Amino acid sequence: MADKTAKQDSGVKVVELDHVVLRCRDLPGTLAFYVNVLDLHEERRIDRIELVQLRAGKSMLDLVPRDAADPGGQNVDHFCLGIEVQNMKCLADRLRSLEVEVIGEPAQRYGARGMGWSLYIRDPEGNVIELKQVPPASS
């Protein structure tokens, strides 16, 4: 049997945790907890999808409503890792070649460092991970 922990060159270099998205049964109550108890600050809202984005240091915590039809469902929608990579399309192709489930195609999305290219994948346990390109360091 092949060693599944043997290091493969995936092309991914993780440098930070960008954000985590939580599905909430009680969005107003959860928002109040993170603002009043943990002193996070609301940074952005997208009313159309009922998304609230909170600043957590250099990272973000996103809150979205949990589907009432699925009360026992997962409450972590996905988490996002900031990565250093030159070309997200090449990375997606490389991950597919390693038999990683890639969900969709790279697209511009908002995260802790603003808009940038990202890609969704799924781990062997079914967790969704967003890989988001961090901007290059300024010279």
Side-chain angles (χ1 to χ4, degrees):
M1 175 175 237
D3 180 4
K4 291 188 177 192
T5 60
K7 177 75 173 136
Q8 298 179 20
D9 182 14
S10 66
V12 176
K13 181 180 178 188
V14 175
V15 295
E16 65 189 17
L17 178 65
D18 188 277
H19 66 271
V20 174
V21 180
L22 297 180
R23 295 180 187 189
C24 309
R25 286 186 299 266
D26 174 12
L27 186 68
T30 304
L31 175 61
F33 171 83
Y34 282 103
V35 169
N36 298 328
V37 176
L38 297 182
D39 200 30
L40 301 186
H41 301 281
E42 186 174 323
E43 182 165 311
R44 186 169 175 246
R45 274 185 191 244
I46 301 176
D47 291 328
R48 177 179 48 83
I49 57 174
E50 299 179 73
L51 168 76
V52 180
Q53 295 182 302
L54 303 171
R55 177 59 58 181
K58 293 182 180 180
S59 301
M60 303 281 292
L61 178 65
D62 296 353
L63 305 176
V64 295
R66 180 186 284 183
D67 184 355
D70 184 21
Q74 297 175 319
N75 74 323
V76 175
D77 182 81
H78 74 275
F79 63 93
C80 177
L81 299 172
I83 63 169
E84 290 180 350
V85 65
Q86 294 295 315
N87 185 310
M88 292 297 284
K89 174 74 171 109
C90 290
L91 175 62
D93 293 342
R94 176 71 181 135
L95 292 170
R96 285 186 186 101
S97 77
L98 295 172
E99 299 181 2
V100 173
E101 181 183 350
V102 176
I103 305 165
E105 295 298 324
Q108 287 276 325
R109 297 180 179 92
Y110 191 82
R113 294 179 180 241
M115 293 300 290
W117 287 100
S118 78
L119 174 70
Y120 290 99
I121 63 172
R122 195 176 308 275
D123 77 7
E125 293 291 324
N127 297 300
V128 176
I129 304 162
E130 181 180 358
L131 301 175
K132 190 162 185 306
Q133 184 179 38
V134 297
S138 55
S139 309

